Amino acid sequence: MTLHPLAERALAVLKRLAALRPDLRLVAAALCAMGILHIAATLAAPMMMGRSAFDRLEPMLPVNTVIVLPPVTPATQPLPFLTPDVRYAMCRYDSAQAPVGVSLELPGKGWSLALHTPEGDNVYAATGEDERVTSLRLRILPTAERFMGLTPESLGVADTTEKPQAVRSDRGIIVLRAPDKGRAYRPFIEAGLRRFTCAAEKVR
């Protein structure tokens, strides 16, 4: 049986390819190199960004002050990809001069709190529970150990209040998220967001 010249050429090429035996060590090395390159690119991506989320939010957030953001719309969102079914309140904290006291409530499921450093690391997070109000009191301290004022006990004053949870972080942004369930729930959501306090403590 005589084959067409093109078919004969194709058959010859297939025979040559079948005769080639790839070096398994070379293939494994190439796969490892591709994996390392992918991981390095992922880790380096935040450093290569022109402006981080912290850089964008810093001008609009006074230090150690809570700002309740308006409902998210294309014209009002401070960062891209914020979901319109969530309301936000934020505080840019700085514990360099004094500890920062934080107080808030998570009225239920869907509410959450997160502390982010300027580099994007999450140093603390909490979520609300269904049919239960979660009260939170935090005390943000600098990462370096140094004198931050006298405690009430050292001044001879009995402190019967519940101790706040200590969090070590120099500066960053606290984000309180609340689910926007519609117009009927907005007064309740606004009240919950405005109960969020964030202020530097007075050092004695």
Side-chain angles (χ1 to χ4, degrees):
M1 180 179 179
T2 303
L3 296 176
H4 191 276
L6 292 178
E8 291 181 353
R9 291 182 182 179
L11 184 60
V13 171
L14 291 175
K15 288 181 179 180
R16 290 181 182 179
L17 291 176
L20 294 176
R21 293 184 178 179
D23 189 342
L24 295 181
R25 290 178 297 179
L26 184 61
V27 173
L31 292 175
C32 289
M34 292 172 61
I36 293 172
L37 180 62
H38 174 72
I39 294 173
T42 302
L43 296 177
M47 303 177 186
M48 299 175 65
M49 292 177 59
R51 295 181 65 197
S52 65
F54 183 87
D55 293 334
R56 296 184 182 185
L57 293 172
E58 186 176 17
M60 60 177 293
L61 298 177
V63 66
N64 299 331
T65 303
V66 174
I67 298 296
V68 177
L69 302 185
V72 175
T73 65
T76 62
Q77 62 176 356
L79 295 173
F81 307 115
L82 292 181
T83 54
D85 59 343
V86 174
R87 292 293 308 276
Y88 297 88
M90 300 184 183
C91 171
R92 178 171 65 90
Y93 65 88
D94 190 329
S95 62
Q97 302 300 322
V100 179
V102 178
S103 176
L104 66 136
E105 291 181 351
L106 302 177
K109 191 175 181 180
W111 289 70
S112 65
L113 176 80
L115 275 68
H116 302 278
T117 66
E119 294 76 26
D121 297 325
N122 191 340
V123 295
Y124 180 86
T127 57
E129 299 181 18
D130 196 14
E131 298 182 357
R132 178 183 175 183
V133 177
T134 303
S135 299
L136 295 176
R137 289 184 63 221
L138 306 177
R139 192 169 190 249
I140 305 176
L141 302 169
T143 54
E145 294 285 350
R146 64 177 184 270
F147 178 72
M148 300 300 292
L150 298 173
T151 63
E153 290 83 356
S154 63
L155 295 173
V157 179
D159 187 7
T160 59
T161 60
E162 183 181 355
K163 299 293 184 183
Q165 183 174 351
V167 178
R168 291 280 179 180
S169 180
D170 294 322
R171 63 193 191 108
I173 293 178
I174 308 172
V175 180
L176 175 62
R177 303 171 78 254
D180 190 349
K181 298 181 180 180
R183 184 175 299 177
Y185 290 88
R186 285 180 184 172
F188 169 77
I189 294 171
E190 288 280 349
L193 293 174
R194 297 194 182 281
R195 281 194 292 269
F196 172 26
T197 62
C198 168
E201 298 179 357
K202 294 182 179 180
V203 179
R204 300 179 183 179

